[in-house]
Amino acid sequence: EVQLQASGGGLVQAGGSLRLSCSVSGIFFTDYAIAWFRLPIGKEREAISCLSSFDGSTNYADSVQGRFTTYSDQDKNTVYLQMDSLKPEDTAVYYCASSIGIPTTRHAATEYYYWGQGTLVTVSS
């Protein structure tokens, strides 16, 4: 059974940093992507980043480009989202998700079959 567990959320002041973790287990397919999405209160879900298992390539939303970095530690079966220079508008529940195979459209939530529970990030001004 594929399971993803997100953690690391919390309260941080604007300009600060947080690192989210997505612990991944049970993946049985060769190629996949791990993406981070966020859901701000009262707004639509937004794809933040994507990390490909095939070649390690990454993609980021324009809203976080240059501030957020996603990477993996294969020994720990964990994918991280390092968030720097946080802004109040980054406040949201953050989710990690896994595709089966490499997604055609990496920012599309419909490409991801397995989802972790959310972790809340609150950035105060």
Side-chain angles (χ1 to χ4, degrees), residues 33-38 44-52 57-64 95 97-99 101-113 115:
I34 301 293
W36 287 94
F37 291 80
R38 67 185 179 188
E44 295 185 352
R45 180 171 50 193
E46 178 186 18
I48 296 301
S49 67
C50 177
L51 172 65
S52 167
S57 60
T58 55
N59 302 90
Y60 298 95
D62 291 342
S63 58
V64 305
Y95 301 85
S98 173
S99 64
I102 302 302
T104 303
T105 306
R106 297 191 181 191
H107 61 271
T110 53
E111 295 272 13
Y112 297 89
Y113 290 82
W115 292 76

mmCIF file of all heavy atoms in Angstrom, residues 33-38 44-52 57-64 95 97-99 101-113 115:
data_model
loop_
_atom_site.group_PDB
_atom_site.id
_atom_site.type_symbol
_atom_site.label_atom_id
_atom_site.label_comp_id
_atom_site.label_asym_id
_atom_site.label_seq_id
_atom_site.Cartn_x
_atom_site.Cartn_y
_atom_site.Cartn_z
ATOM 1 N N ALA A 33 6.445 10.782 -9.828
ATOM 2 C CA ALA A 33 6.789 12.139 -9.425
ATOM 3 C C ALA A 33 6.131 12.422 -8.080
ATOM 4 O O ALA A 33 5.036 11.934 -7.807
ATOM 5 C CB ALA A 33 6.317 13.151 -10.461
ATOM 6 N N ILE A 34 6.831 13.164 -7.268
ATOM 7 C CA ILE A 34 6.277 13.625 -5.997
ATOM 8 C C ILE A 34 6.065 15.128 -6.112
ATOM 9 O O ILE A 34 7.005 15.872 -6.408
ATOM 10 C CB ILE A 34 7.201 13.322 -4.815
ATOM 11 C CG1 ILE A 34 7.460 11.827 -4.692
ATOM 12 C CG2 ILE A 34 6.602 13.881 -3.525
ATOM 13 C CD1 ILE A 34 6.239 11.007 -4.313
ATOM 14 N N ALA A 35 4.849 15.527 -5.905
ATOM 15 C CA ALA A 35 4.512 16.940 -6.008
ATOM 16 C C ALA A 35 4.030 17.469 -4.669
ATOM 17 O O ALA A 35 3.527 16.724 -3.827
ATOM 18 C CB ALA A 35 3.424 17.149 -7.064
ATOM 19 N N TRP A 36 4.201 18.752 -4.503
ATOM 20 C CA TRP A 36 3.617 19.466 -3.370
ATOM 21 C C TRP A 36 2.521 20.386 -3.902
ATOM 22 O O TRP A 36 2.738 21.108 -4.891
ATOM 23 C CB TRP A 36 4.670 20.285 -2.634
ATOM 24 C CG TRP A 36 5.620 19.467 -1.820
ATOM 25 C CD1 TRP A 36 6.847 18.996 -2.214
ATOM 26 C CD2 TRP A 36 5.442 19.023 -0.478
ATOM 27 N NE1 TRP A 36 7.430 18.286 -1.198
ATOM 28 C CE2 TRP A 36 6.588 18.284 -0.112
ATOM 29 C CE3 TRP A 36 4.428 19.179 0.476
ATOM 30 C CZ2 TRP A 36 6.758 17.703 1.151
ATOM 31 C CZ3 TRP A 36 4.588 18.602 1.732
ATOM 32 C CH2 TRP A 36 5.740 17.883 2.054
ATOM 33 N N PHE A 37 1.388 20.349 -3.242
ATOM 34 C CA PHE A 37 0.278 21.244 -3.525
ATOM 35 C C PHE A 37 -0.044 22.005 -2.246
ATOM 36 O O PHE A 37 0.296 21.580 -1.147
ATOM 37 C CB PHE A 37 -0.969 20.452 -3.947
ATOM 38 C CG PHE A 37 -0.852 19.791 -5.286
ATOM 39 C CD1 PHE A 37 -0.175 18.589 -5.437
ATOM 40 C CD2 PHE A 37 -1.441 20.360 -6.409
ATOM 41 C CE1 PHE A 37 -0.073 17.975 -6.682
ATOM 42 C CE2 PHE A 37 -1.351 19.752 -7.646
ATOM 43 C CZ PHE A 37 -0.669 18.563 -7.781
ATOM 44 N N ARG A 38 -0.720 23.122 -2.405
ATOM 45 C CA ARG A 38 -1.200 23.833 -1.226
ATOM 46 C C ARG A 38 -2.618 24.326 -1.448
ATOM 47 O O ARG A 38 -3.040 24.570 -2.578
ATOM 48 C CB ARG A 38 -0.279 24.995 -0.861
ATOM 49 C CG ARG A 38 -0.241 26.147 -1.835
ATOM 50 C CD ARG A 38 0.797 27.166 -1.392
ATOM 51 N NE ARG A 38 0.890 28.301 -2.305
ATOM 52 C CZ ARG A 38 1.821 29.245 -2.223
ATOM 53 N NH1 ARG A 38 2.748 29.194 -1.253
ATOM 54 N NH2 ARG A 38 1.836 30.246 -3.089
ATOM 55 N N GLU A 44 -8.320 28.295 -4.320
ATOM 56 C CA GLU A 44 -8.179 27.025 -5.015
ATOM 57 C C GLU A 44 -6.825 26.375 -4.723
ATOM 58 O O GLU A 44 -5.849 27.045 -4.383
ATOM 59 C CB GLU A 44 -8.340 27.238 -6.527
ATOM 60 C CG GLU A 44 -9.720 27.699 -6.929
ATOM 61 C CD GLU A 44 -9.887 27.788 -8.437
ATOM 62 O OE1 GLU A 44 -8.875 27.633 -9.146
ATOM 63 O OE2 GLU A 44 -11.013 28.009 -8.896
ATOM 64 N N ARG A 45 -6.810 25.075 -4.906
ATOM 65 C CA ARG A 45 -5.575 24.332 -4.736
ATOM 66 C C ARG A 45 -4.552 24.754 -5.792
ATOM 67 O O ARG A 45 -4.898 24.965 -6.944
ATOM 68 C CB ARG A 45 -5.867 22.839 -4.844
ATOM 69 C CG ARG A 45 -4.663 21.932 -4.681
ATOM 70 C CD ARG A 45 -5.092 20.484 -4.583
ATOM 71 N NE ARG A 45 -6.009 20.125 -5.656
ATOM 72 C CZ ARG A 45 -6.724 19.007 -5.673
ATOM 73 N NH1 ARG A 45 -6.637 18.151 -4.668
ATOM 74 N NH2 ARG A 45 -7.533 18.750 -6.676
ATOM 75 N N GLU A 46 -3.313 24.824 -5.386
ATOM 76 C CA GLU A 46 -2.239 25.268 -6.274
ATOM 77 C C GLU A 46 -1.097 24.251 -6.237
ATOM 78 O O GLU A 46 -0.664 23.832 -5.165
ATOM 79 C CB GLU A 46 -1.721 26.640 -5.825
ATOM 80 C CG GLU A 46 -0.568 27.179 -6.641
ATOM 81 C CD GLU A 46 0.006 28.470 -6.076
ATOM 82 O OE1 GLU A 46 -0.237 28.781 -4.892
ATOM 83 O OE2 GLU A 46 0.719 29.165 -6.822
ATOM 84 N N ALA A 47 -0.618 23.887 -7.397
ATOM 85 C CA ALA A 47 0.569 23.034 -7.470
ATOM 86 C C ALA A 47 1.801 23.890 -7.200
ATOM 87 O O ALA A 47 1.958 24.959 -7.794
ATOM 88 C CB ALA A 47 0.652 22.383 -8.840
ATOM 89 N N ILE A 48 2.653 23.432 -6.311
ATOM 90 C CA ILE A 48 3.820 24.205 -5.901
ATOM 91 C C ILE A 48 5.087 23.705 -6.555
ATOM 92 O O ILE A 48 5.888 24.468 -7.065
ATOM 93 C CB ILE A 48 3.971 24.152 -4.379
ATOM 94 C CG1 ILE A 48 2.790 24.825 -3.721
ATOM 95 C CG2 ILE A 48 5.267 24.814 -3.933
ATOM 96 C CD1 ILE A 48 2.628 26.267 -4.133
ATOM 97 N N SER A 49 5.282 22.388 -6.519
ATOM 98 C CA SER A 49 6.528 21.844 -7.024
ATOM 99 C C SER A 49 6.326 20.403 -7.442
ATOM 100 O O SER A 49 5.366 19.752 -7.046
ATOM 101 C CB SER A 49 7.623 21.914 -5.949
ATOM 102 O OG SER A 49 7.317 21.046 -4.868
ATOM 103 N N CYS A 50 7.276 19.917 -8.234
ATOM 104 C CA CYS A 50 7.242 18.540 -8.691
ATOM 105 C C CYS A 50 8.676 18.042 -8.802
ATOM 106 O O CYS A 50 9.549 18.769 -9.295
ATOM 107 C CB CYS A 50 6.541 18.440 -10.041
ATOM 108 S SG CYS A 50 6.517 16.789 -10.733
ATOM 109 N N LEU A 51 8.896 16.824 -8.346
ATOM 110 C CA LEU A 51 10.213 16.200 -8.404
ATOM 111 C C LEU A 51 10.065 14.854 -9.099
ATOM 112 O O LEU A 51 9.292 14.010 -8.654
ATOM 113 C CB LEU A 51 10.770 16.013 -6.987
ATOM 114 C CG LEU A 51 12.060 15.200 -6.858
ATOM 115 C CD1 LEU A 51 13.219 15.904 -7.538
ATOM 116 C CD2 LEU A 51 12.377 14.967 -5.377
ATOM 117 N N SER A 52 10.815 14.666 -10.180
ATOM 118 C CA SER A 52 10.726 13.429 -10.943
ATOM 119 C C SER A 52 11.722 12.401 -10.416
ATOM 120 O O SER A 52 12.895 12.716 -10.214
ATOM 121 C CB SER A 52 11.027 13.711 -12.423
ATOM 122 O OG SER A 52 11.237 12.500 -13.123
ATOM 123 N N SER A 57 14.546 15.857 -12.127
ATOM 124 C CA SER A 57 14.185 17.208 -12.551
ATOM 125 C C SER A 57 13.088 17.771 -11.658
ATOM 126 O O SER A 57 12.293 17.025 -11.079
ATOM 127 C CB SER A 57 13.726 17.209 -14.012
ATOM 128 O OG SER A 57 12.596 16.386 -14.173
ATOM 129 N N THR A 58 13.083 19.076 -11.538
ATOM 130 C CA THR A 58 12.107 19.748 -10.691
ATOM 131 C C THR A 58 11.387 20.844 -11.457
ATOM 132 O O THR A 58 11.916 21.403 -12.423
ATOM 133 C CB THR A 58 12.777 20.362 -9.452
ATOM 134 O OG1 THR A 58 13.837 21.236 -9.881
ATOM 135 C CG2 THR A 58 13.368 19.287 -8.547
ATOM 136 N N ASN A 59 10.188 21.131 -11.020
ATOM 137 C CA ASN A 59 9.398 22.225 -11.564
ATOM 138 C C ASN A 59 8.782 22.983 -10.401
ATOM 139 O O ASN A 59 8.432 22.370 -9.382
ATOM 140 C CB ASN A 59 8.280 21.701 -12.476
ATOM 141 C CG ASN A 59 8.799 20.869 -13.620
ATOM 142 O OD1 ASN A 59 8.937 19.656 -13.499
ATOM 143 N ND2 ASN A 59 9.109 21.518 -14.734
ATOM 144 N N TYR A 60 8.630 24.279 -10.581
ATOM 145 C CA TYR A 60 8.062 25.110 -9.514
ATOM 146 C C TYR A 60 7.027 26.071 -10.066
ATOM 147 O O TYR A 60 7.132 26.530 -11.206
ATOM 148 C CB TYR A 60 9.172 25.932 -8.834
ATOM 149 C CG TYR A 60 10.216 25.094 -8.158
ATOM 150 C CD1 TYR A 60 11.393 24.750 -8.809
ATOM 151 C CD2 TYR A 60 10.025 24.619 -6.858
ATOM 152 C CE1 TYR A 60 12.355 23.964 -8.204
ATOM 153 C CE2 TYR A 60 10.985 23.833 -6.234
ATOM 154 C CZ TYR A 60 12.143 23.511 -6.919
ATOM 155 O OH TYR A 60 13.091 22.725 -6.308
ATOM 156 N N ALA A 61 6.063 26.384 -9.228
ATOM 157 C CA ALA A 61 5.102 27.432 -9.589
ATOM 158 C C ALA A 61 5.827 28.779 -9.575
ATOM 159 O O ALA A 61 6.777 28.990 -8.805
ATOM 160 C CB ALA A 61 3.958 27.444 -8.580
ATOM 161 N N ASP A 62 5.361 29.676 -10.409
ATOM 162 C CA ASP A 62 5.961 31.010 -10.458
ATOM 163 C C ASP A 62 5.926 31.696 -9.093
ATOM 164 O O ASP A 62 6.833 32.452 -8.741
ATOM 165 C CB ASP A 62 5.230 31.879 -11.484
ATOM 166 C CG ASP A 62 5.480 31.418 -12.912
ATOM 167 O OD1 ASP A 62 6.461 30.673 -13.137
ATOM 168 O OD2 ASP A 62 4.706 31.802 -13.797
ATOM 169 N N SER A 63 4.887 31.410 -8.332
ATOM 170 C CA SER A 63 4.699 32.078 -7.044
ATOM 171 C C SER A 63 5.758 31.700 -6.007
ATOM 172 O O SER A 63 5.938 32.410 -5.015
ATOM 173 C CB SER A 63 3.313 31.770 -6.487
ATOM 174 O OG SER A 63 3.148 30.358 -6.340
ATOM 175 N N VAL A 64 6.458 30.578 -6.231
ATOM 176 C CA VAL A 64 7.452 30.125 -5.254
ATOM 177 C C VAL A 64 8.841 29.963 -5.853
ATOM 178 O O VAL A 64 9.801 29.654 -5.143
ATOM 179 C CB VAL A 64 7.031 28.798 -4.586
ATOM 180 C CG1 VAL A 64 5.645 28.932 -3.962
ATOM 181 C CG2 VAL A 64 7.074 27.643 -5.585
ATOM 182 N N TYR A 95 0.109 19.729 0.921
ATOM 183 C CA TYR A 95 -0.045 18.304 0.696
ATOM 184 C C TYR A 95 1.063 17.797 -0.223
ATOM 185 O O TYR A 95 1.458 18.491 -1.162
ATOM 186 C CB TYR A 95 -1.382 18.001 0.025
ATOM 187 C CG TYR A 95 -2.602 18.434 0.781
ATOM 188 C CD1 TYR A 95 -3.095 19.737 0.674
ATOM 189 C CD2 TYR A 95 -3.283 17.538 1.598
ATOM 190 C CE1 TYR A 95 -4.224 20.133 1.363
ATOM 191 C CE2 TYR A 95 -4.420 17.923 2.289
ATOM 192 C CZ TYR A 95 -4.884 19.223 2.174
ATOM 193 O OH TYR A 95 -6.002 19.602 2.863
ATOM 194 N N ALA A 97 1.943 14.534 -2.882
ATOM 195 C CA ALA A 97 1.202 13.562 -3.667
ATOM 196 C C ALA A 97 2.148 12.845 -4.620
ATOM 197 O O ALA A 97 3.163 13.400 -5.042
ATOM 198 C CB ALA A 97 0.097 14.261 -4.454
ATOM 199 N N SER A 98 1.777 11.625 -4.965
ATOM 200 C CA SER A 98 2.595 10.811 -5.862
ATOM 201 C C SER A 98 1.801 10.416 -7.096
ATOM 202 O O SER A 98 0.627 10.025 -7.004
ATOM 203 C CB SER A 98 3.068 9.555 -5.145
ATOM 204 O OG SER A 98 3.727 8.688 -6.052
ATOM 205 N N SER A 99 2.472 10.476 -8.230
ATOM 206 C CA SER A 99 1.875 9.962 -9.456
ATOM 207 C C SER A 99 2.329 8.523 -9.665
ATOM 208 O O SER A 99 3.222 8.024 -8.960
ATOM 209 C CB SER A 99 2.340 10.809 -10.644
ATOM 210 O OG SER A 99 3.748 10.678 -10.800
ATOM 211 N N GLY A 101 4.035 6.662 -12.646
ATOM 212 C CA GLY A 101 4.642 7.091 -13.891
ATOM 213 C C GLY A 101 4.919 8.585 -13.847
ATOM 214 O O GLY A 101 4.531 9.278 -12.887
ATOM 215 N N ILE A 102 5.577 9.086 -14.858
ATOM 216 C CA ILE A 102 5.872 10.515 -14.915
ATOM 217 C C ILE A 102 4.668 11.237 -15.507
ATOM 218 O O ILE A 102 4.210 10.901 -16.597
ATOM 219 C CB ILE A 102 7.132 10.782 -15.761
ATOM 220 C CG1 ILE A 102 8.323 10.020 -15.173
ATOM 221 C CG2 ILE A 102 7.417 12.275 -15.818
ATOM 222 C CD1 ILE A 102 8.642 10.366 -13.743
ATOM 223 N N PRO A 103 4.132 12.228 -14.817
ATOM 224 C CA PRO A 103 2.931 12.913 -15.294
ATOM 225 C C PRO A 103 3.177 13.651 -16.600
ATOM 226 O O PRO A 103 4.247 14.191 -16.833
ATOM 227 C CB PRO A 103 2.594 13.902 -14.187
ATOM 228 C CG PRO A 103 3.499 13.623 -13.070
ATOM 229 C CD PRO A 103 4.600 12.774 -13.553
ATOM 230 N N THR A 104 2.155 13.670 -17.413
ATOM 231 C CA THR A 104 2.213 14.454 -18.641
ATOM 232 C C THR A 104 2.156 15.936 -18.305
ATOM 233 O O THR A 104 2.894 16.750 -18.872
ATOM 234 C CB THR A 104 1.057 14.070 -19.564
ATOM 235 O OG1 THR A 104 1.123 12.670 -19.831
ATOM 236 C CG2 THR A 104 1.123 14.867 -20.860
ATOM 237 N N THR A 105 1.283 16.259 -17.389
ATOM 238 C CA THR A 105 1.124 17.643 -16.936
ATOM 239 C C THR A 105 1.432 17.672 -15.446
ATOM 240 O O THR A 105 0.601 17.302 -14.622
ATOM 241 C CB THR A 105 -0.305 18.146 -17.196
ATOM 242 O OG1 THR A 105 -0.622 17.940 -18.578
ATOM 243 C CG2 THR A 105 -0.426 19.623 -16.857
ATOM 244 N N ARG A 106 2.602 18.113 -15.098
ATOM 245 C CA ARG A 106 3.096 17.936 -13.733
ATOM 246 C C ARG A 106 2.362 18.761 -12.700
ATOM 247 O O ARG A 106 2.420 18.435 -11.518
ATOM 248 C CB ARG A 106 4.588 18.232 -13.691
ATOM 249 C CG ARG A 106 5.406 17.280 -14.555
ATOM 250 C CD ARG A 106 6.882 17.409 -14.310
ATOM 251 N NE ARG A 106 7.642 16.503 -15.159
ATOM 252 C CZ ARG A 106 8.926 16.248 -15.006
ATOM 253 N NH1 ARG A 106 9.612 16.836 -14.043
ATOM 254 N NH2 ARG A 106 9.541 15.418 -15.820
ATOM 255 N N HIS A 107 1.677 19.840 -13.124
ATOM 256 C CA HIS A 107 0.996 20.666 -12.141
ATOM 257 C C HIS A 107 -0.471 20.289 -11.986
ATOM 258 O O HIS A 107 -1.194 20.903 -11.204
ATOM 259 C CB HIS A 107 1.090 22.139 -12.539
ATOM 260 C CG HIS A 107 0.448 22.449 -13.856
ATOM 261 N ND1 HIS A 107 1.121 22.378 -15.049
ATOM 262 C CD2 HIS A 107 -0.821 22.802 -14.161
ATOM 263 C CE1 HIS A 107 0.296 22.688 -16.029
ATOM 264 N NE2 HIS A 107 -0.878 22.949 -15.527
ATOM 265 N N ALA A 108 -0.912 19.276 -12.710
ATOM 266 C CA ALA A 108 -2.326 18.893 -12.660
ATOM 267 C C ALA A 108 -2.565 17.894 -11.543
ATOM 268 O O ALA A 108 -1.981 16.799 -11.523
ATOM 269 C CB ALA A 108 -2.746 18.298 -13.999
ATOM 270 N N ALA A 109 -3.455 18.245 -10.622
ATOM 271 C CA ALA A 109 -3.748 17.365 -9.489
ATOM 272 C C ALA A 109 -4.293 16.012 -9.953
ATOM 273 O O ALA A 109 -4.105 14.997 -9.269
ATOM 274 C CB ALA A 109 -4.745 18.042 -8.555
ATOM 275 N N THR A 110 -4.947 15.990 -11.079
ATOM 276 C CA THR A 110 -5.520 14.739 -11.593
ATOM 277 C C THR A 110 -4.453 13.728 -11.991
ATOM 278 O O THR A 110 -4.766 12.553 -12.181
ATOM 279 C CB THR A 110 -6.429 15.025 -12.794
ATOM 280 O OG1 THR A 110 -5.693 15.791 -13.762
ATOM 281 C CG2 THR A 110 -7.675 15.790 -12.374
ATOM 282 N N GLU A 111 -3.209 14.165 -12.106
ATOM 283 C CA GLU A 111 -2.131 13.248 -12.454
ATOM 284 C C GLU A 111 -1.625 12.453 -11.244
ATOM 285 O O GLU A 111 -0.845 11.521 -11.409
ATOM 286 C CB GLU A 111 -0.955 14.052 -13.034
ATOM 287 C CG GLU A 111 -1.265 14.744 -14.358
ATOM 288 C CD GLU A 111 -1.006 13.853 -15.554
ATOM 289 O OE1 GLU A 111 -0.822 12.635 -15.366
ATOM 290 O OE2 GLU A 111 -0.993 14.377 -16.682
ATOM 291 N N TYR A 112 -2.063 12.830 -10.062
ATOM 292 C CA TYR A 112 -1.517 12.240 -8.831
ATOM 293 C C TYR A 112 -2.558 11.353 -8.164
ATOM 294 O O TYR A 112 -3.679 11.761 -7.900
ATOM 295 C CB TYR A 112 -1.038 13.355 -7.899
ATOM 296 C CG TYR A 112 0.089 14.123 -8.552
ATOM 297 C CD1 TYR A 112 -0.170 15.221 -9.359
ATOM 298 C CD2 TYR A 112 1.405 13.707 -8.403
ATOM 299 C CE1 TYR A 112 0.854 15.899 -10.009
ATOM 300 C CE2 TYR A 112 2.437 14.380 -9.040
ATOM 301 C CZ TYR A 112 2.163 15.470 -9.847
ATOM 302 O OH TYR A 112 3.176 16.129 -10.488
ATOM 303 N N TYR A 113 -2.138 10.118 -7.901
ATOM 304 C CA TYR A 113 -3.065 9.118 -7.399
ATOM 305 C C TYR A 113 -3.029 8.979 -5.880
ATOM 306 O O TYR A 113 -4.027 8.613 -5.262
ATOM 307 C CB TYR A 113 -2.735 7.763 -8.028
ATOM 308 C CG TYR A 113 -3.070 7.682 -9.492
ATOM 309 C CD1 TYR A 113 -2.210 8.181 -10.457
ATOM 310 C CD2 TYR A 113 -4.262 7.117 -9.922
ATOM 311 C CE1 TYR A 113 -2.519 8.127 -11.802
ATOM 312 C CE2 TYR A 113 -4.585 7.037 -11.272
ATOM 313 C CZ TYR A 113 -3.709 7.541 -12.213
ATOM 314 O OH TYR A 113 -4.019 7.478 -13.546
ATOM 315 N N TRP A 115 -2.143 10.597 -2.094
ATOM 316 C CA TRP A 115 -2.015 11.867 -1.386
ATOM 317 C C TRP A 115 -1.759 11.631 0.090
ATOM 318 O O TRP A 115 -2.325 10.722 0.706
ATOM 319 C CB TRP A 115 -3.296 12.676 -1.548
ATOM 320 C CG TRP A 115 -3.523 13.142 -2.954
ATOM 321 C CD1 TRP A 115 -3.951 12.395 -4.013
ATOM 322 C CD2 TRP A 115 -3.315 14.466 -3.464
ATOM 323 N NE1 TRP A 115 -4.018 13.164 -5.150
ATOM 324 C CE2 TRP A 115 -3.637 14.446 -4.838
ATOM 325 C CE3 TRP A 115 -2.887 15.660 -2.891
ATOM 326 C CZ2 TRP A 115 -3.544 15.579 -5.645
ATOM 327 C CZ3 TRP A 115 -2.808 16.789 -3.689
ATOM 328 C CH2 TRP A 115 -3.127 16.740 -5.049
#
